[in-house]
Amino acid sequence: MLTLPTYDDVVAAAARIGNQAHRTPVMRSRTADQQLGASLFFKCENFQRMGAFKFRGAFNALSQFSAAQRQAGVITFSSGNHAQAIALSARLLGIPATILMPLDAPQTKIDATRGYGAEVILFDRFKSDREALTADLAARRGLSLIPPYDHPDVIAGQGTAARELLEEVSELDFLLVPLGGGGLLAGSALAARALSPNCKVYGVEPAAGNDGQQSLRSGSIVHIETPRTIADGAQTQHLGEYTFAIIRRDVDDVLTVGDPELVEAMRFLAERMKMLVEPTGCLGFAAARHAGLALAGKRVGVILSGGNVDLRRFGELLFP
Ligand SMILES: *Cc1c(COP(=O)(O)O)cnc(C)c1O
């Protein structure tokens, strides 16, 4: 039996990360409100430290390490933002970090991770099993593994973003959350169920990789091939045990959007709101615009989960 994290764990995480994480702003846009006939509240985790919400979960997890764990170090695998989050948190806490990253991860993310002082090991994610590679290294070097999403402390930490949003704007009718492995969605659902019980909570994933949607609808975790999508933070192959248990219990549904809708949302956020949001970070907003939800007259929370995108790539996506 899994012991699932609860809203109390989200509250405890908020206290642990309070001195280190930014309380990110909640932005509004009259144009977006007019276009959708709704009131949108954007929780801007693109302004979080290291550029994404993942700092919250990583710092919450590492700050609970024992002295022996701190000394030996942490290991993880990640296509980018979790890598930077672990690397930065580890540096802040004086813990050595080893990170497995895919060869084709955006160069900015690899550079940033090395820049925070972590040892980066590159691997081919279309050929090798990153979880097995990581487990092997962890065992040989005595490192503690903090995975990107399927860990109670990571989920609790990620939930602090939605908690801040709901504390600031009070109850919502809808909450739209980007979905990869489900840490952000599970944590957000814990916060929403506690602070806004009638809020409909939706995960949003790329149409090319709708394993979360399939999992929720079939009642068990569905595994898929690594999806090809511009949403590189949501190229996960399956939900986790912890995240799925919470998503199943507390999330209303999982929606999908295509890459062209992500580009359109990115363009709107840049042009109208002067914000740089990475493709994965646009999933929730793209769903608000294109998923056919009945948002008219409603209060809608949208988590913009991160802003780490190469500027060259950003330009190519907007001006192909
Ligand atoms: C990791 C990530 C996600 C997905 O989060 P999960 O907890 O894996 O579901 C969404 N957006 C960004 C920017 C991310 O880095």
Side-chain angles (χ1 to χ4, degrees):
M1 269 296 284
L2 298 178
T3 304
L4 300 179
T6 66
Y7 179 63
D8 288 344
D9 296 308
V10 178
V11 175
R16 271 182 218 111
I17 70 173
N19 289 329
Q20 293 292 349
H22 295 314
R23 189 177 182 106
T24 53
V26 177
M27 308 276 264
R28 309 289 315 269
S29 160
R30 283 170 202 273
T31 310
D33 284 0
Q34 266 162 16
Q35 288 180 356
L36 294 170
S39 301
L40 272 73
F41 301 89
F42 296 93
K43 178 64 170 169
C44 296
E45 288 295 297
N46 51 311
F47 296 134
Q48 186 51 262
R49 282 186 86 169
M50 54 59 56
F53 71 91
K54 284 208 174 66
F55 180 70
R56 298 172 179 271
F59 194 86
N60 184 49
L62 294 199
S63 61
Q64 295 177 75
F65 271 21
S66 69
Q69 285 180 301
R70 283 180 192 233
Q71 195 170 10
V74 60
I75 184 167
T76 196
F77 50 85
S78 165
S79 68
N81 284 335
H82 178 67
Q84 290 174 69
I86 289 286
L88 173 59
S89 301
R91 196 189 65 185
L92 292 169
L93 293 162
I95 300 171
T98 305
I99 298 178
L100 270 87
M101 296 184 81
L103 278 164
D104 60 335
Q107 192 61 41
T108 44
K109 294 188 179 183
I110 297 175
D111 291 345
T113 306
R114 290 203 167 114
Y116 290 128
E119 179 189 346
V120 173
I121 300 176
L122 297 173
F123 72 100
D124 183 340
R125 80 193 149 89
F126 293 100
K127 288 195 188 134
S128 41
D129 177 351
R130 65 180 190 172
E131 290 168 44
L133 277 174
T134 314
D136 180 55
L137 264 170
R140 280 193 286 126
R141 298 188 183 179
L143 309 174
S144 301
L145 169 63
I146 298 296
Y149 51 86
D150 206 26
H151 189 292
D153 299 339
V154 172
I155 294 168
Q158 315 308 31
T160 58
R163 177 173 185 259
E164 288 173 16
L165 170 63
L166 288 161
E167 275 181 352
E168 186 164 334
V169 308
S170 84
E171 297 202 22
L172 293 168
D173 299 306
F174 290 89
L175 181 61
L176 300 174
V177 185
L179 170 60
L184 181 62
L185 179 58
S188 299
L190 293 177
R193 287 293 156 256
L195 299 178
S196 186
N198 296 322
C199 178
K200 287 199 179 303
V201 179
Y202 290 99
V204 186
E205 60 188 355
N210 72 334
D211 61 289
Q213 188 178 60
Q214 291 183 47
S215 303
L216 192 63
R217 293 179 184 180
S218 71
S220 63
I221 299 173
V222 171
H223 291 241
I224 60 168
E225 293 291 301
T226 300
R228 296 196 187 255
T229 164
I230 61 170
D232 56 275
Q235 282 181 311
T236 38
Q237 294 176 268
H238 55 86
L239 300 177
E241 305 278 340
Y242 290 96
T243 58
F244 180 60
I246 295 170
I247 289 168
R248 225 183 147 175
R249 186 189 67 196
D250 289 342
V251 167
D252 290 279
D253 202 359
V254 173
L255 311 168
T256 63
V257 295
D259 285 359
E261 285 75 48
L262 292 177
V263 172
E264 202 186 294
M266 255 169 57
R267 182 186 306 280
F268 182 97
L269 293 167
E271 208 164 55
R272 296 297 187 143
M273 297 180 72
K274 321 305 167 194
M275 290 198 291
L276 187 60
V277 181
E278 63 184 277
T280 316
C282 295
L283 282 163
F285 184 42
R289 289 158 70 81
H290 298 286
L293 294 170
L295 301 184
K298 302 295 186 189
R299 293 165 54 80
V300 182
V302 174
I303 299 192
L304 301 179
S305 51
N308 291 326
V309 52
D310 253 48
L311 277 191
R312 179 183 302 277
R313 173 139 177 77
F314 186 75
E316 286 165 2
L317 288 170
L318 289 192
F319 305 102

